[in-house]
Amino acid sequence: MSHAARILFVPLSVSVAACSLLSLSGCGSSDDSQQPVAGASGNSPAAGSSNASAGKGSGGKGGGSNAAGGDGSDTAGEGGSNAVGGGGSPPAGGGGPVTPVCNGQPQWTDISTAQINSLGGSNAQSYPGGVSGVVVNHLTGDVTIHIVGFGLWRSSNQGGSWARIDDGVIDKNGGRCETGWGLQYDPDDPTRLASFTLDGTAGYTADGMAWKGWAESGWGRNWDFGAVDWSADGAQTIFGVLHETTPRSLYLISTNGGTSWSAIDNNHVANMVGVIDSKTLIASRTSGIERSTDLGETWKSVSDVTPLGHVAIRFQSKYYVTSADGILVSADQGMTWKKQGTAIANTKMYQGPYFGTDENTMVVGTQPNDNVFGAGSSIYKTSDGGATWTKVADVPTPNNGFPISYAWYGSFAWDPMSDTYYTSAMSNPAYRLDCTH
């Protein structure tokens, strides 16, 4: 059976957020001026608490600044070395099931620091340490995280133990996902996974088993986010946006599974991408939504509304993006777009929507402003297609340098089978939301 003909269930929740078009100068370069402390002590901030802290970690500060358009030679923590995954898979670990102590309110539990410590701790990681992305297989509940410098790791017991899954392909020379949309997946078959890695080897598994490293982009530091044509068995068409072009303006396209790349645009701000099929792309190029049926040679405007989400989400046969007006949906392969439901008062939808068992049950990641270092990110859920929204939790705030900000760095994932939520951002641990039932 081809992937295009498979029955679609619930999309795997992917991390990420989006930058406002009015603040793009901070989107790709704000990490370059910061020297965050990697790691965390393992304390669990309470959900909904703006002052909760997980404590400072044992990892040192990044050893150097990342020059815009640089060569990707960001140093690991002082005295540490870049972790490489090319020499075989590090041992699995994680210390066994992570059991929270519930105090009557939801709380975030650190599920990654034990595994990172088993790999040598935060000083063994490349800049800036921590976990830079999280996704969930909605069919099995398996969780996958991107451990900075050590590639992709999967847990089948909600973070109790971890095993590396990328055959040492991802992060051969260190690396991380810059944004929450750095990890992408096939919503029909969530074992097919792509890592749009920054400052390291990017790649994917087109069949859910064998991993392929992509050729370098030709721009020194690689990717912020991207999309893959999962409708084809070979998944050959890949549409990505490069890091720290100023403004963020360079799209690259591959039609041979990442073996080579061609530039298709450098005159517009690259705000959103999506791949409908091997020839059809959607994008937000500075403003609104445009559609191309010839791999970006020509474009047609299809909506005046500018998305806040960076990658279009597919559920069944429809495509979704978040915006300041709420959720936009296309039921005709991106040719037309309509608003669905309502916006959430006093905040903006950036990430998602990620779906449950039907199109009416979904979750989104929000933030009240477009500051990539801003506070106040939260997760909201609806069971009526977005007509009403209920807050699930605010994000943890461990103060490890880069915030869990759903406007750029932060990511979250949702397991609809057990109604379990996960979140992370580079320089921070991966967290699981506990004590919600």
Side-chain angles (χ1 to χ4, degrees):
M1 179 185 299
S2 72
H3 287 91
R6 291 179 179 172
I7 298 173
L8 176 64
F9 293 92
V10 185
L12 169 120
S13 301
V14 183
S15 52
V16 280
C19 280
S20 165
L21 295 173
L22 300 179
S23 62
L24 285 170
S25 60
C27 290
S29 58
S30 53
D31 59 313
D32 299 334
S33 61
Q34 301 294 318
Q35 300 296 324
V37 178
S41 66
N43 295 334
S44 301
S49 171
S50 61
N51 297 317
S53 173
K56 295 183 177 179
S58 58
K61 294 184 294 183
S65 61
N66 305 331
D71 60 4
S73 57
D74 307 317
T75 1
E78 295 171 357
S81 60
N82 285 346
V84 295
S89 298
V98 182
T99 303
V101 177
C102 297
N103 57 8
Q105 62 179 353
Q107 66 182 42
W108 292 99
T109 301
D110 178 342
I111 58 171
S112 64
T113 295
Q115 177 60 42
I116 292 172
N117 287 342
S118 76
L119 299 172
S122 57
N123 281 340
Q125 294 190 269
S126 53
Y127 175 87
V131 172
S132 62
V134 57
V135 293
V136 170
N137 183 326
H138 60 273
L139 303 179
T140 64
D142 290 350
V143 186
T144 299
I145 59 175
H146 188 162
I147 297 179
V148 173
F150 284 98
L152 304 180
W153 295 71
R154 182 166 292 161
S155 173
S156 297
N157 56 2
Q158 298 185 330
S161 58
W162 300 93
R164 190 162 185 179
I165 64 168
D166 63 30
D167 297 332
V169 169
I170 305 301
D171 294 355
K172 283 185 178 179
N173 299 304
R176 66 184 188 268
C177 289
E178 167 80 357
T179 74
W181 267 305
L183 295 181
Q184 289 296 315
Y185 60 92
D186 178 358
D188 293 341
D189 180 359
T191 64
R192 303 172 82 202
L193 184 65
S195 180
F196 287 85
T197 308
L198 175 69
D199 292 343
T201 306
Y204 73 163
T205 171
D207 60 7
M209 296 178 289
W211 284 82
K212 174 185 177 180
W214 296 335
E216 291 297 309
S217 64
W219 181 262
R221 302 190 60 193
N222 279 349
W223 308 102
D224 273 341
F225 51 86
V228 177
D229 174 25
W230 299 118
S231 70
D233 287 337
Q236 295 294 290
T237 301
I238 307 169
F239 186 25
V241 173
L242 291 176
H243 182 68
E244 286 186 345
T245 52
T246 305
R248 188 178 64 246
S249 60
L250 190 56
Y251 294 98
L252 290 190
I253 191 81
S254 175
T255 57
N256 54 18
T259 299
S260 62
W261 301 93
S262 300
I264 63 170
D265 196 345
N266 60 0
N267 297 314
H268 299 83
V269 177
N271 189 53
M272 181 273 288
V273 296
V275 180
I276 306 297
D277 56 41
S278 62
K279 296 290 185 180
T280 307
L281 311 175
I282 53 175
S284 178
R285 304 189 312 150
T286 304
S287 63
I289 301 174
E290 297 179 76
R291 186 174 186 266
S292 172
T293 57
D294 53 13
L295 287 174
E297 292 292 329
T298 60
W299 294 90
K300 178 181 178 182
S301 177
V302 291
S303 175
D304 293 332
V305 181
T306 300
L308 293 178
H310 278 317
V311 179
I313 302 297
R314 178 167 63 85
F315 179 69
Q316 296 178 350
S317 61
K318 297 179 181 179
Y319 289 82
Y320 298 79
V321 294
T322 56
S323 75
D325 295 334
I327 292 173
L328 301 178
V329 59
S330 174
D332 55 10
Q333 305 293 291
M335 289 187 287
T336 61
W337 295 82
K338 296 180 180 179
K339 179 182 175 182
Q340 176 175 309
T342 62
I344 301 173
N346 302 316
T347 194
K348 300 176 182 179
M349 299 180 193
Y350 283 91
Q351 297 188 33
Y354 309 134
F355 291 86
T357 56
D358 58 68
E359 64 182 8
N360 292 317
T361 304
M362 52 188 163
V363 297
V364 294
T366 70
Q367 187 168 309
N369 55 62
D370 53 20
N371 181 356
V372 298
F373 277 91
S377 289
S378 304
I379 299 170
Y380 281 80
K381 184 178 182 180
T382 181
S383 298
D384 53 19
T388 59
W389 294 90
T390 301
K391 181 186 283 191
V392 175
D394 295 326
V395 301
T397 54
N399 195 28
N400 283 332
F402 290 103
I404 301 177
S405 159
Y406 291 159
W408 188 252
Y409 299 112
S411 65
F412 89 97
W414 178 42
D415 172 11
M417 298 175 63
S418 62
D419 198 27
T420 301
Y421 300 81
Y422 302 86
T423 196
S424 70
M426 59 183 185
S427 82
N428 296 278
Y431 292 98
R432 182 189 67 215
L433 186 62
D434 290 318
C435 309
T436 58
H437 302 294

